[in-house]
């Protein structure tokens, strides 16, 4: 099946190349070229063609093509078309004397746009037009001058809705990769900040930017990310989630191994720690990699608030993750297997609650968890006006009516509510949903084996987490392998002056392994684990000098 | 290749899920299938076949904290008989609708009759059974069947067993004549060579006629009240007698279990003076070079406050205070002496002298442990008591002292 798919794709690409060579090419006749481009786009009405004449005595036919909506109207009008029309007098003589090539002259003397180049390749021209650039076709030349006129409507920079803070910067990424890059550049005014562009997706040709700090980020890591990105041969890259799935180390795990954020300050901080950032055009969610477990419990606010409060909040987050994982299952284990561990008074309370409840505690928990998930799912996509209703109905129905009807015990409602709230206390949404999935496994184990099952489950869970790597970095580092010096920014958040600038908290530079096996995660479904680093713990030279 | 791996994976998942359907949940018991036992009373039945008559005080949870109560008793008593404790438990299940769950037994009451006969056989099940806890409190029912203690309604807790526990805790904090004695302590006490455990006594005061119904406390003065009483002194696993008064307090002191206790002295200048001993630390040491003639030293240091001083003593003067503390020292010395005398009377070293000896001179202990009773009966001992009056509470001199 695998081979079949691959040959299918190859055939397709060969097909498109073949068709390109057959008909639509730039021709020396302007009208033909225009016709070809219009034909390629299916005579789309938003392709605007502006025909002009260059020169007075021997006018040359030319045309400026752009897609309305994608191109910035002002640039096209004033700097492209305007400049073509304005200056036709002064240079006409010159042109006739020297009779050099017209495009070069246009570029050097006439066009007022900031960025323009001569492009001969048909595909590149099409891509440029589809990206919002303006193509100038000139009669008699089989080339086009591409003027950078990208623009059109984008969302303005607003506060990110998914990661809010009380104190800290309020700007968030938008859907435009250019704006996003500028938001990062504005924070790190360093020449070490490197930016690489690539176009991914065979059909979507999405702009993807990769950023890293030269000399801080491990070069092997950068090379690895670049390679994994370049291997992507998907048709579509519409969101950074597509990329995440294609380049992550392991698919079959509930845990995210790549961090995503809407916040430029988080990205800047991570860049300075030596991580690589991948920005995808069309989404405000930016990927940060490699990511370790502790990262998902950090919030931008930790660094804005006092360190002691930050530590407390982090502990709260870890505790709520444990509550999220084990809340209902511990309750099940307690009541059905280990009743002797409940304090007597509480037990009497529970007993009287359970007296007339029809379902076993396990079924009760499943029912409530299911109901809660439904509510949550309903609430997420609700129009804001109806959202109110959902929460009221949810609170009423699930909170009191169910208890009054004697279907569910009040304590179960408390446990489920606590679990639900705990899932919101985790700063990273993708880590919270990981916890939500694993919770059901623990529920099952607790229902079958009590605490014995929970313990077994925890062992498997920790073993699994230990097997995870994010671009070669052990997922549980710096706990496993333990590095005492790197605990400064994990559960703890030491005062800033104690976290030496030369040391990246997650040991990225010191710990980056050599990459032996690499995949894009796309060719085979299971990305193989990156080999353990044999040089772990050795300080690379760069860092020694930095101190 | 890919498909095959996927298939294997799915098969593995299926295999993991199958046991769920097959086994059910082997030892899971829903809470509403359980009858929680709060207290157990153990009586001596007639003859060998019904040696143990075990009564279980079972909590009726709905009656205690439920919304719709039926007005029935908050606990019920089920009784089972058998040659062993376990048989009696199984026997009792004929009457109970739910599984008798012993995980929350807080009180075990043994009848005096059984205690005099010996309790070591019945203790094994408490250690072996996984449900029962070794932190349950043990009592001896003084002069009455143990089941009566479990079937007496109490005012402050709907569960009589809890009421008994609370009573013990209160009195051991305030009065000092009793202390917590758990199953674990009893079992260790029985293993003391030449000694035995000390167990709190308990009895019901008043008429038993209405004791087991709500009528018990329909009047302001309850008809029957559960009372914690004296200490039962054991030799090995058999009850020998009861320790009362000063001897009981001395015994608690020697066990180092005292928290607070009142001391009252009659002062030569007239009137009684009451003290509160709020801290006392006892150390038992022994000079045991010659194991046949050990010399024990009881060192005790106490901190005292004056609680009542209804006379004209000048408490501002340090001399007076020092003089008063010497009275406390005398009182403490007497209590300890009483305790040792009582232990000798019962011929049981429940005070732990043998233990101190073993710690000091393990080789010597091995030589004398067989006839430790004889040595304990007439060994030498010294009491070095010390008491400091730390404060006189809210007043210095009494208002009776005219300025």
């Amino acid at each position: 099946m695998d081979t079949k798919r691959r040959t299918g794709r190859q055939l397709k690409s060969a097909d498109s190349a073949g068709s390109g060579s057959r008909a639509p090419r730039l021709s020396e006749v302007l009208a033909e070229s225009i016709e070809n481009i219009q034909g390629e786009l299916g005579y789309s009405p938003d392709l605007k063609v502006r025909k002009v004449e260059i020169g007075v005595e021997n006018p040359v036919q030319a045309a400026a093509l752009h897609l309305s909506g994608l191109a910035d109207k002002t640039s096209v009008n004033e700097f492209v078309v305007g400049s073509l029309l304005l200056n036709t007098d002064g240079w006409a003589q010159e042109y006739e004397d020297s009779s050099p090539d017209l495009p070069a002259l246009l570029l050097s003397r006439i066009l007022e746009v900031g960025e323009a180049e001569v492009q001969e390749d048909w595909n590149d021209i099409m891509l440029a037009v589809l990206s919002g650039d303006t193509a100038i076709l000139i009669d008699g030349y089989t080339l086009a001058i591409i003027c950078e006129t990208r623009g059109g409507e984008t969302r303005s920079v607003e506060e990110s809705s998914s990661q809010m803070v009380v104190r800290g910067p309020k700007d968030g990424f938008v859907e435009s990769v250019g704006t996003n890059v500028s938001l990062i550049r504005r924070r790190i005014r360093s020449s070490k900040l490197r930016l690489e562009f690539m176009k991914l997706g065979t059909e979507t040709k999405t702009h993807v930017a990769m950023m890293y700090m030269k000399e801080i980020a491990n070069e092997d890591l950068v090379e690895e990310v670049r390679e994994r990105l370049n291997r992507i041969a998907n048709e579509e890259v519409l969101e950074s989630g597509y990329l995440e799935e294609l380049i992550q180390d392991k698919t079959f795990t509930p845990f995210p191994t790549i961090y995503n954020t809407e916040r430029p300050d988080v990205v800047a901080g991570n860049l300075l720690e030596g991580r690589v950032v991948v920005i995808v055009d069309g989404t405000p969610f930016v990927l940060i990699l490699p990511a370790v477990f502790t990262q998902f419990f950090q919030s931008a606010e930790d660094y804005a608030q006092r360190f002691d409060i930050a530590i407390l909040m982090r502990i709260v987050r870890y505790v709520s993750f444990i509550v999220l994982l084990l809340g209902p299952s511990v309750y099940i284990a307690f009541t059905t297997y280990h009743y002797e561990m409940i304090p007597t008074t509480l037990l009497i309370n529970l007993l009287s609650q359970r007296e007339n409840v029809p379902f076993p505690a396990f079924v009760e928990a499943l029912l409530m968890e299911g109901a809660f998930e439904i509510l949550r799912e309903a609430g997420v996509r609700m129009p804001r006006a109806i959202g109110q209703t959902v929460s009221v109905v949810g609170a009423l129905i699930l909170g009191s009516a169910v208890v009054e009807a004697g279907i569910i015990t009040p304590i179960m409602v408390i446990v489920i509510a606590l679990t639900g709230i705990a899932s919101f206390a985790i700063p990273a949404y993708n880590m919270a949903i990981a916890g939500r999935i694993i919770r059901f496994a623990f529920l099952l184990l607790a229902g079958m084996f009590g605490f014995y099952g929970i313990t077994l489950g925890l062992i498997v869970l920790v073993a699994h987490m230990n097997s995870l790597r994010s671009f070669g970095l052990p997922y549980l580092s710096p706990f496993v392998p333990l590095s005492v010096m790197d605990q400064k920014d994990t559960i703890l958040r030491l005062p800033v002056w104690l976290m030496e600038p030369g040391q990246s908290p997650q040991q990225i530079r010191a710990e980056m392994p050599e990459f032996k096996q690499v995949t894009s995660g796309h060719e085979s479904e299971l990305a193989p684990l990156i080999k353990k680093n044999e040089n772990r713990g050795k300080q690379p030279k760069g860092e020694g000098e930095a101190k | 290749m890919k498909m095959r791996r996927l298939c294997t994976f799915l098969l593995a998942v299926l295999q993991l899920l199958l046991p769920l359907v097959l086994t059910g949940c082997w030892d899971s018991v829903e809470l509403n299938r359980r009858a929680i036992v709060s207290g157990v009373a153990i009586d001596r039945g007639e003859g060998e076949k019904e040696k143990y008559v075990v009564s279980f005080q079972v909590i009726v949870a709905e009656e205690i904290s439920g919304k719709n109560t039926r007005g029935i008793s908050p606990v019920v008593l089920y009784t089972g008989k058998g040659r062993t404790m376990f048989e009696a438990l199984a026997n009792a299940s004929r009457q109970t609708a739910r599984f008798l769950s012993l995980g929350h037994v807080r009180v075990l009451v043994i009848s005096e009759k059984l205690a005099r006969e010996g309790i070591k056989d019945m203790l094994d099940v408490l250690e072996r059974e996984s449900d029962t806890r070794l932190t349950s409190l043990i009592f001896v029912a003084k002069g009455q069947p143990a089941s009566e203690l479990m079937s007496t309604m109490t005012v402050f807790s709907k569960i009589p067993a809890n009421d008994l526990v609370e009573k013990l805790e209160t009195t051991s904090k305030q009065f000092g004549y009793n202390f917590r004695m758990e199953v674990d302590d009893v079992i260790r006490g029985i293993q003391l060579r030449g000694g035995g455990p000390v167990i709190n006594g308990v009895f019901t005061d008043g008429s038993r006629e209405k004791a087991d119904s709500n009528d018990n406390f329909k009047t302001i003065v309850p008809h029957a009240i559960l009372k914690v009483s004296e200490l039962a002194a054991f030799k090995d696993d058999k009850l020998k007698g009861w320790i009362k008064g000063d001897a009981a307090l001395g015994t608690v002191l020697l066990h180092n279990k005292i928290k607070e206790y009142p001391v009252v002295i009659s002062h030569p200048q007239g009137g009684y003076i009451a003290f509160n001993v709020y801290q006392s630390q006892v150390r038992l040491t022994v000079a045991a070079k010659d194991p046949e003639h050990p010399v024990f030293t009881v060192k005790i240091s106490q901190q005292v406050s004056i609680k009542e001083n209804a006379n004209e003593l000048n408490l501002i003067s340090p001399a007076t205070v020092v003089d008063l503390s010497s009275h406390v020292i005398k009182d403490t010395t007497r209590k300890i002496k009483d305790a040792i005398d009582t232990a000798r009377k019962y011929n049981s070293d429940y005070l732990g002298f043998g233990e101190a000896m073993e710690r000091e001179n393990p080789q010597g202990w091995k030589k004398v442990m067989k006839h430790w009773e004889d040595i304990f009966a007439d060994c030498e001992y010294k009491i070095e008591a010390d008491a400091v009056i730390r404060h006189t509470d809210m007043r210095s001199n009494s208002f009776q002292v005219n300025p």
Side-chain angles (χ1 to χ4, degrees):
Chain A
M1 186 184 169
D2 197 9
T3 46
K4 222 178 186 178
R5 260 181 68 186
R6 194 173 294 158
T7 48
R9 184 176 296 137
Q10 278 167 352
L11 276 177
K12 213 172 179 180
S13 61
D15 199 37
S16 65
S19 67
S21 66
R22 269 201 305 275
R25 279 276 178 207
L26 287 182
S27 150
E28 295 204 350
V29 184
L30 178 65
E32 217 169 286
S33 296
I34 295 173
E35 169 68 19
N36 281 347
I37 291 180
Q38 280 177 329
E40 175 88 355
L41 293 177
Y43 299 98
S44 176
D46 61 347
L47 178 73
K48 306 294 181 196
V49 182
R50 175 73 163 89
K51 290 178 184 159
V52 291
E53 276 183 9
I54 306 172
V56 183
E57 287 171 23
N58 288 313
V60 180
Q61 297 289 323
L65 288 86
H66 74 273
L67 281 169
S68 70
L70 282 183
D72 180 32
K73 217 165 227 169
T74 329
S75 315
V76 177
N77 291 350
E78 289 183 13
F79 305 127
V80 182
V81 182
S83 56
L84 284 179
L85 294 174
L86 262 183
N87 291 308
T88 44
D89 293 336
W91 56 271
Q93 194 60 44
E94 207 176 317
Y95 167 65
E96 269 154 33
D97 291 351
S98 54
S99 71
D101 78 312
L102 185 57
L105 200 68
L106 282 175
L107 275 181
S108 59
R109 301 288 296 272
I110 307 298
L111 286 171
E112 288 175 11
V113 287
E115 195 186 319
E117 56 174 356
V118 171
Q119 194 63 262
E120 288 182 45
D121 185 72
W122 172 257
N123 287 333
D124 288 342
I125 294 167
M126 287 314 296
L127 179 59
V129 171
L130 286 170
S131 308
D133 288 342
T134 304
I136 301 173
L137 304 175
I138 306 159
D139 193 37
Y141 293 89
T142 56
L143 50 75
I145 299 172
I146 304 297
C147 305
E148 208 276 320
T149 55
R150 286 175 206 184
E153 296 305 312
T154 52
R155 194 165 58 95
S156 60
V157 174
E158 293 163 6
E159 187 178 4
S160 82
S161 56
S162 64
Q163 291 167 309
M164 290 198 247
V165 291
V166 177
R167 181 181 167 180
K170 301 267 183 184
D171 54 346
F173 285 127
V174 294
E175 281 76 7
S176 149
V177 67
T179 316
N180 293 349
V181 168
S182 72
L183 285 175
I184 298 168
R185 276 238 189 253
R186 221 170 273 172
R187 286 198 161 69
I188 306 174
R189 290 185 197 84
S190 163
S191 57
K192 286 185 198 162
L193 183 60
R194 291 287 188 274
L195 171 68
E196 288 174 23
F197 265 119
M198 46 191 99
K199 294 195 178 72
L200 298 179
T202 52
E203 290 299 324
T204 58
K205 301 275 181 0
T206 313
H207 285 273
V208 173
M210 180 173 100
M211 289 179 99
Y212 59 93
M213 295 293 287
K214 182 115 182 124
E215 288 168 42
I216 296 181
N218 184 302
E219 272 169 32
D220 291 339
L221 171 68
V222 175
E223 182 51 42
E224 172 68 15
V225 177
R226 194 181 292 133
E227 195 176 329
R228 287 196 197 183
L229 286 175
N230 281 331
R231 284 192 181 198
I232 290 173
N234 248 32
E235 282 186 356
E236 45 180 13
V237 175
L238 297 177
E239 216 276 339
S240 51
Y242 286 64
L243 284 192
E244 182 176 341
E245 257 184 44
L246 292 172
I247 63 173
Q248 69 191 354
D249 291 68
K250 193 167 189 168
T251 303
F252 292 104
T253 173
F255 291 101
T257 50
I258 294 177
Y259 189 81
N260 67 68
T261 183
E262 265 190 287
R263 302 185 56 85
D265 53 329
V266 172
V267 167
N270 279 294
L271 278 172
L272 292 169
E273 281 173 8
R275 290 197 172 82
V276 177
V277 165
V278 176
I279 308 162
V280 179
D281 197 34
T283 175
F285 290 94
V286 168
L287 300 181
I288 298 174
L289 42 96
V292 291
F293 183 66
T294 55
Q295 216 176 328
F296 294 89
F297 293 88
Q298 297 172 353
S299 155
E301 184 142 8
D302 291 352
Y303 305 95
Q305 300 290 2
R306 296 181 49 79
F307 82 99
D308 42 4
I309 291 148
I311 293 175
L312 180 69
M313 292 332 291
R314 280 193 183 172
I315 291 171
V316 167
R317 287 176 211 145
Y318 281 102
V319 169
S320 51
F321 189 65
I322 294 170
V323 169
L324 169 62
L325 278 188
L326 302 179
S329 49
V330 164
Y331 172 74
I332 300 285
F334 265 134
T335 52
T336 53
Y337 289 92
H338 316 281
Y339 76 101
E340 65 271 7
M341 289 173 76
I342 310 172
T344 313
T345 331
L346 179 62
L347 179 71
I348 293 167
N349 212 323
L350 296 184
L351 267 172
S352 66
Q353 286 182 22
R354 278 216 58 86
E355 198 57 51
N356 291 314
V357 173
F359 302 114
F362 175 65
V363 176
E364 226 186 331
L366 271 189
L367 273 179
M368 283 306 283
E369 287 286 11
F372 192 83
E373 291 295 322
I374 291 173
L375 260 185
R376 191 188 334 228
E377 192 57 23
V380 169
R381 263 165 285 283
M382 269 287 134
R384 212 158 277 171
I386 320 177
Q388 209 76 16
T389 328
V390 169
S391 54
V392 168
V393 169
L396 278 181
I397 301 285
L398 294 181
S400 53
V402 152
V403 170
E404 255 168 50
I407 299 171
I408 305 285
T409 54
I411 183 88
M412 184 54 91
V413 176
I414 296 173
V415 170
I416 300 296
L418 189 69
T419 315
I421 295 296
S423 75
F424 294 120
I426 300 158
Y429 184 70
N430 46 0
M431 183 54 84
I433 45 182
R436 268 160 63 191
I437 293 173
I438 303 169
R439 180 183 52 169
F440 283 102
F442 276 107
L443 203 59
L444 212 63
L445 284 171
M448 284 198 300
F449 308 113
F451 269 132
Y452 176 61
I454 292 181
T455 315
L456 287 185
L458 281 177
I459 292 171
V460 172
L461 183 72
V462 172
H464 170 71
M465 287 169 80
N466 268 315
S467 79
L468 291 180
R469 297 284 184 280
S470 176
F471 285 79
L473 192 68
Y475 195 53
L476 286 184
S477 65
F479 301 124
V480 183
L482 182 70
S483 162
V484 179
M485 290 312 289
D486 287 315
Q487 304 291 333
K488 289 170 185 168
D489 194 13
T490 50
I491 293 176
L492 299 179
R493 201 284 276 171
L494 294 189
V496 174
W497 52 269
L498 262 176
M499 294 193 276
E500 287 173 50
Q503 284 185 329
S504 70
Q506 261 78 32
Q507 255 189 320
I508 290 178
R509 279 162 294 161
E511 287 264 330
M512 281 320 297
E514 292 164 31
F515 293 96
K516 294 274 162 65
Q517 286 174 292
V518 288
T519 66
S520 64
H522 168 60
E523 299 295 327
S524 69
E525 58 184 358
L526 260 179
L529 292 182
I530 303 234
K531 268 192 184 170
K532 271 192 180 177
N533 179 22
E534 286 142 27
N535 309 328
R536 180 174 301 138
K538 279 187 191 170
Q539 302 275 84
K541 273 179 194 167
E543 184 162 5
E545 286 162 9
K547 283 181 197 167
Chain B
M1 193 55 206
K2 212 161 151 192
M3 276 306 282
R4 230 171 107 188
R5 258 166 68 194
L6 197 71
C7 281
T8 335
F9 178 73
L10 284 178
L11 268 178
V13 169
L14 207 66
Q15 262 179 345
L16 283 174
L17 287 176
L18 274 179
L20 292 185
V21 195
L22 290 175
T23 59
C25 308
W26 25 273
D27 65 348
S28 101
V29 178
E30 288 295 327
L31 278 187
N32 44 12
R33 290 289 297 131
R34 284 193 187 280
I36 306 295
V37 178
S38 58
V40 177
I42 304 149
D43 280 299
R44 178 70 170 96
E46 297 299 319
E48 243 346 83
K49 252 200 153 170
E50 292 180 354
K51 185 175 178 191
Y52 296 110
V53 179
V54 186
S55 308
F56 300 93
Q57 189 186 77
V58 176
I59 299 170
V60 186
E62 213 180 7
E63 210 47 44
I64 294 171
S65 66
K67 273 185 199 155
N68 350 300
T69 54
R70 284 183 288 171
I72 57 171
S73 156
V75 290
V76 275
L77 202 69
Y78 294 117
T79 305
K81 295 170 184 171
R83 284 161 294 180
T84 66
M85 293 278 289
F86 194 71
E87 193 183 21
L89 170 70
N91 183 268
S93 73
R94 286 185 163 169
Q95 315 156 41
T96 57
R98 297 176 177 183
F99 301 107
L100 283 178
S101 306
L102 299 175
H104 282 267
V105 174
R106 293 187 79 182
V107 169
L108 283 159
V109 185
I110 302 163
S111 75
E112 189 172 343
K113 195 177 164 198
L114 183 64
R116 286 196 188 274
E117 217 173 278
I119 57 171
K120 65 169 182 279
D121 295 346
M122 52 149 281
L123 288 173
D124 180 72
V125 71
L126 300 179
E127 275 196 315
R128 200 175 296 279
E129 168 67 39
S130 65
D131 253 15
T132 56
R133 47 181 69 191
L134 293 175
T135 52
S136 311
L137 297 175
I138 282 206
F139 290 89
V140 173
K142 190 172 180 233
Q144 66 187 122
S147 60
E148 285 186 4
L149 277 308
M150 288 287 107
S151 55
T152 304
M153 279 285 201
T154 51
V155 179
F156 280 107
S157 172
K158 286 186 178 172
I159 305 163
N162 281 2
D163 183 85
L164 189 52
V165 172
E166 278 158 24
K167 272 175 183 158
L168 177 70
E169 270 161 10
T170 317
T171 184
S172 69
K173 265 193 189 139
Q174 263 193 338
F175 201 48
Y177 285 81
N178 296 86
F179 61 97
R180 278 180 74 93
M181 178 56 71
E182 297 169 355
V183 174
D184 198 32
D185 300 319
V186 171
I187 291 170
R188 260 184 277 130
I190 288 176
Q191 285 166 300
L192 273 185
R193 175 67 201 97
V198 179
I199 302 182
N200 295 301
V202 64
F203 67 105
T204 55
D205 198 12
S207 97
R208 292 238 19 108
E209 208 176 305
K210 292 174 177 169
D212 61 349
S213 76
N214 272 345
D215 294 341
N216 188 25
F217 40 77
K218 283 213 168 133
T219 49
I220 290 181
V221 181
H223 293 283
I225 301 182
L226 272 179
K227 275 189 181 172
V228 178
S229 76
E230 295 124 20
L231 295 171
F234 279 68
K235 172 71 197 287
D236 296 328
D237 68 324
K238 293 182 177 62
L239 191 144
K240 286 295 169 193
W242 295 91
I243 316 170
K244 298 166 198 170
D246 284 353
L249 197 98
T251 307
V252 184
L253 269 177
L254 278 166
H255 273 96
N256 222 348
K257 295 278 177 148
I258 211 98
K259 285 195 181 95
E260 272 182 35
Y261 71 97
V263 171
V264 180
I265 60 162
S266 150
H267 197 267
Q269 281 188 11
Y272 289 104
I273 303 178
F275 303 90
N276 183 32
V277 180
Y278 60 89
Q279 195 192 31
S280 51
Q281 190 64 41
V282 178
R283 274 187 65 207
L284 181 61
T285 52
V286 56
K289 281 237 172 79
D290 174 9
E292 298 287 339
H293 301 96
V295 180
F296 290 92
T297 311
V298 181
K299 275 187 194 158
I300 175 161
S301 58
Q302 296 180 311
Q303 306 214 2
V304 186
S305 67
I306 297 177
K307 283 285 176 188
E308 218 175 333
N309 178 46
N311 57 36
E312 296 178 7
L313 280 179
N314 177 20
L315 292 181
I316 295 171
S317 141
T320 325
V321 176
V322 169
D323 175 58
L324 282 179
S325 65
S326 76
H327 283 88
V328 176
I329 293 172
K330 251 183 251 163
D331 179 84
T332 309
T333 315
R334 201 190 66 246
K335 280 172 175 158
I336 290 176
K337 204 165 161 303
D338 261 13
I340 297 174
D341 287 348
T342 314
R344 282 178 171 173
K345 191 179 88 192
Y346 291 132
N347 196 24
S348 170
D349 173 25
Y350 51 74
L351 299 172
F353 278 36
E355 259 185 312
M357 170 86 177
E358 185 181 1
R359 235 174 273 138
E360 180 66 26
N361 185 355
Q363 298 303 320
W365 167 251
K366 273 181 192 152
K367 283 178 205 153
V368 298
M369 60 187 275
K370 288 270 160 51
H371 57 283
W372 177 247
E373 287 88 341
D374 306 335
I375 297 170
F376 176 67
D378 49 25
C379 64
E380 262 184 67
Y381 66 88
K382 288 183 279 188
I383 299 167
E384 294 173 8
D386 182 32
V388 183
I389 295 174
R390 283 279 177 229
H391 60 86
T392 60
D393 244 341
M394 302 292 282
R395 272 197 80 98
S396 48
N397 282 339
S398 165
F399 68 90
Q400 297 178 21
V401 182
N402 289 320

